[in-house]
Amino acid sequence: MRGFDDGSCAAVAAGLDRLEEVSLIGTKVGDAGLAALAAGVRETLASIRLDSANLPVSKDRVGDVGVAALARALGENSTLTEIHLNGNRVTDAGA
């Protein structure tokens, strides 16, 4: 999935009505892709993994903007039980 990026994420999210678990480890998904995905499946998402701790540093990682969009989109979600953002650009402000 190395070529999977924000645009790919938005295209997939547009066609989904249900997604329970997603792993985007090793992709180029950043803030915009995470926001699009979260908005598309805000009621059904239970687990999301965007770990990038073992990947080279890249500007394409999720940061505070993406986490804020995820929080807004999933505000009413009662199924999310797990989120992994290790190695991304989330600061104290985004946490």
Side-chain angles (χ1 to χ4, degrees), residues 18-57:
R18 181 168 183 79
L19 179 66
E20 293 179 11
E21 183 174 345
V22 64
S23 175
L24 298 169
I25 297 170
T27 66
K28 293 181 179 179
V29 172
D31 291 331
L34 179 60
L37 182 66
V41 294
R42 68 177 144 259
E43 295 171 6
T44 63
L45 191 60
S47 175
I48 186 165
R49 295 188 70 94
L50 284 152
D51 300 338
S52 59
N54 297 323
L55 300 174
V57 175

Side-chain angles (χ1 to χ4, degrees), residues 6 24 26-32 34 50-66 85-90:
D6 288 342
L24 298 169
T27 66
K28 293 181 179 179
V29 172
D31 291 331
L34 179 60
L50 284 152
D51 300 338
S52 59
N54 297 323
L55 300 174
V57 175
S58 168
K59 63 181 174 69
D60 296 324
R61 300 276 162 50
V62 172
D64 296 337
V65 172
L85 294 167
N86 300 338
N88 283 280
R89 298 178 296 118
V90 180

Side-chain angles (χ1 to χ4, degrees), residues 2-23:
R2 286 184 215 176
F4 199 79
D5 58 12
D6 288 342
S8 305
C9 211
V12 168
L16 291 175
D17 61 351
R18 181 168 183 79
L19 179 66
E20 293 179 11
E21 183 174 345
V22 64
S23 175

